[in-house]
Amino acid sequence: MININRNLTMDQYLVSVIIATHNRDSLLPVAVNSILNQTYQNFEILIIDDASEDYTPIIISYLKKKDTRIKSFRSETNIGPGKARNIGIANANGDLIAILDDDDIAIPNRLAVQVKFLDTDPNIDVVFSATKFQDNDNNKCKIYPSIDTILSLPESSDELFKQLYVDWKWIVLNTTIMARRKVLDQIKYVKKPWRGEDHILVSMIAASGFKMKGIPQPLVTVNRSMKREGLMVNKCVNNFKAALIIKRWIKKNKPDKFQDLHKKAMSNSLLNEQHYANNYFKAILYFLFAFLIWPQSPKVQKKIRHYYEKYIKGFARIN
């Protein structure tokens, strides 16, 4: 790894693009070609093959022959996207690190726009962007409405962390991130879970005081339909477990900060789990735990009023 510490002109920044992949032999070439066709050409691509069992190794071999800027690493066991990306970051030579998921498409000026943004404002450590979403038939679709709120991103890193940790606002998509290498040298992806690892990473970056900025221009097309999940979907984590991971990291690395947020985050994450509960009993259980953790929660109080109106008033009408 080259540790570069010098003043650079815009076209001198080497960008390391990290692509973790697993059994995406039909989609990976599209993602890689979207980087090869960038208007900004000072980059390297690091592909981490996470124990793919399809034709991915053959595809990677072909891509490396196509362009010498492509490097690859392989894990013989399925280690998950976070740990796989860490391998790529550890072997990157770039001044800047960009992340791209293996089923997404970088718009041709993605790297140029983000490099210019970071070059123009040395106080910003991480940039991300709005996105376009398309389904399996290449039709536009909508997944995360909160992506449209990036213009209202708070200037304060502490306030951004609060929004990510307590309110679980999905405003930063992993596949759009570009960071100065000092950020990802310090903050690593968690090895587990295999889903939600991007939200955890961004939360830790914000908690560490790094400055982030959203670019309203869509710079990545996310290839996702309502029925289609992302990388390695069989290993998932719920909001509560992710909040626990962030809490433990905070207590270890920032023990004097954010102590007033933990109960709120745990309670809210349990309420979020109600939306995914597969039965009524589990949903009520999530609510009861959320109430016990933080009875004063406005969201808990709102739920209590909801249950009262739905059941108590309904029962009264029956009688």
Side-chain angles (χ1 to χ4, degrees):
M1 181 183 74
I2 300 174
N3 186 10
I4 300 174
N5 185 14
R6 64 177 189 271
N7 294 322
L8 301 171
T9 60
M10 180 179 160
D11 60 349
Q12 290 178 322
Y13 290 95
L14 176 63
V15 180
S16 296
V17 182
I18 310 300
I19 304 176
T21 189
H22 175 74
N23 290 341
R24 290 280 177 81
D25 55 6
S26 62
L27 295 171
L28 178 64
V30 180
V32 172
N33 284 328
S34 75
I35 299 298
L36 295 178
N37 294 326
Q38 289 288 299
T39 59
Y40 187 92
Q41 285 287 303
N42 190 16
F43 61 77
E44 62 177 1
I45 301 174
L46 293 90
I47 304 172
I48 305 88
D49 179 8
D50 190 11
S52 294
E53 298 171 336
D54 58 3
Y55 292 107
T56 294
I58 297 174
I59 295 296
I60 292 175
S61 178
Y62 165 77
L63 290 169
K64 289 171 67 175
K65 291 178 182 178
K66 181 178 179 181
D67 197 303
T68 58
R69 292 173 296 179
I70 299 174
K71 305 173 185 178
S72 69
F73 305 86
R74 176 175 170 84
S75 173
E76 295 301 329
T77 58
N78 197 194
I79 57 177
K83 192 172 182 179
R85 291 187 193 107
N86 286 340
I87 292 173
I89 293 166
N91 287 277
N93 295 311
D95 309 282
L96 305 172
I97 308 291
I99 307 297
L100 183 68
D101 288 347
D102 62 349
D103 58 343
D104 296 338
I105 303 168
I107 292 169
N109 64 342
R110 176 204 168 167
L111 297 185
V113 170
Q114 292 186 311
V115 169
K116 183 177 180 180
F117 198 101
L118 289 170
D119 179 62
T120 302
D121 192 343
N123 295 316
I124 301 301
D125 302 302
V126 180
V127 292
F128 59 95
S129 78
T131 58
K132 297 178 181 179
F133 289 93
Q134 68 180 26
D135 61 20
N136 293 340
D137 299 318
N138 297 327
N139 297 316
K140 291 182 180 180
C141 61
K142 195 70 174 177
I143 304 294
Y144 303 118
S146 61
I147 296 300
D148 293 334
T149 69
I150 61 175
L151 285 175
S152 61
L153 194 72
E155 293 289 336
S156 164
S157 297
D158 286 358
E159 180 60 28
L160 175 57
F161 172 71
K162 178 181 177 181
Q163 291 188 10
L164 291 167
Y165 181 42
V166 176
D167 300 321
W168 200 267
K169 289 189 176 181
W170 287 94
I171 52 178
V172 181
L173 281 187
N174 179 73
T175 193
T176 72
I177 288 174
M178 181 182 286
R180 301 187 193 277
R181 77 159 310 118
K182 67 179 182 181
V183 177
L184 296 180
D185 280 345
Q186 180 177 331
I187 310 297
K188 306 296 184 184
Y189 283 94
V190 293
K191 297 178 181 179
K192 293 181 180 180
W194 289 6
R195 183 181 176 194
E197 82 290 341
D198 49 356
H199 181 84
I200 295 169
L201 175 80
V202 171
S203 297
M204 294 190 301
I205 288 173
S208 298
F210 290 113
K211 301 292 185 181
M212 287 188 274
K213 196 74 174 180
I215 299 172
Q217 177 183 352
L219 296 178
V220 176
T221 297
V222 176
N223 193 6
R224 199 73 45 81
S225 74
M226 295 302 292
K227 295 182 179 179
R228 180 176 175 176
E229 297 287 354
L231 188 66
M232 288 167 270
V233 299
N234 293 328
K235 308 287 186 178
C236 64
V237 65
N238 61 33
N239 291 0
F240 180 68
K241 289 181 180 177
L244 273 178
I245 291 170
I246 297 170
K247 177 183 177 181
R248 290 166 183 160
W249 187 89
I250 290 295
K251 285 184 172 293
K252 178 181 179 181
N253 295 278
K254 304 288 178 181
D256 299 325
K257 296 189 70 174
F258 309 119
Q259 296 305 311
D260 61 324
L261 299 183
H262 297 315
K263 286 185 178 181
K264 298 176 183 179
M266 297 302 110
S267 179
N268 284 351
S269 65
L270 285 167
L271 290 177
N272 289 339
E273 285 307 309
Q274 283 196 298
H275 298 294
Y276 307 103
N278 54 18
N279 62 68
Y280 179 76
F281 174 77
K282 185 177 289 187
I284 292 297
L285 199 61
Y286 285 142
F287 168 74
L288 289 175
F289 280 123
F291 172 80
L292 291 172
I293 291 172
W294 188 29
Q296 298 83 12
S297 164
K299 292 184 178 181
V300 166
Q301 296 300 318
K302 184 178 179 179
K303 281 285 186 180
I304 290 174
R305 290 193 296 271
H306 167 75
Y307 287 133
Y308 175 80
E309 293 173 0
K310 183 175 181 179
Y311 297 108
I312 304 300
K313 290 185 177 181
F315 182 76
R317 283 196 298 268
I318 293 174
N319 291 313

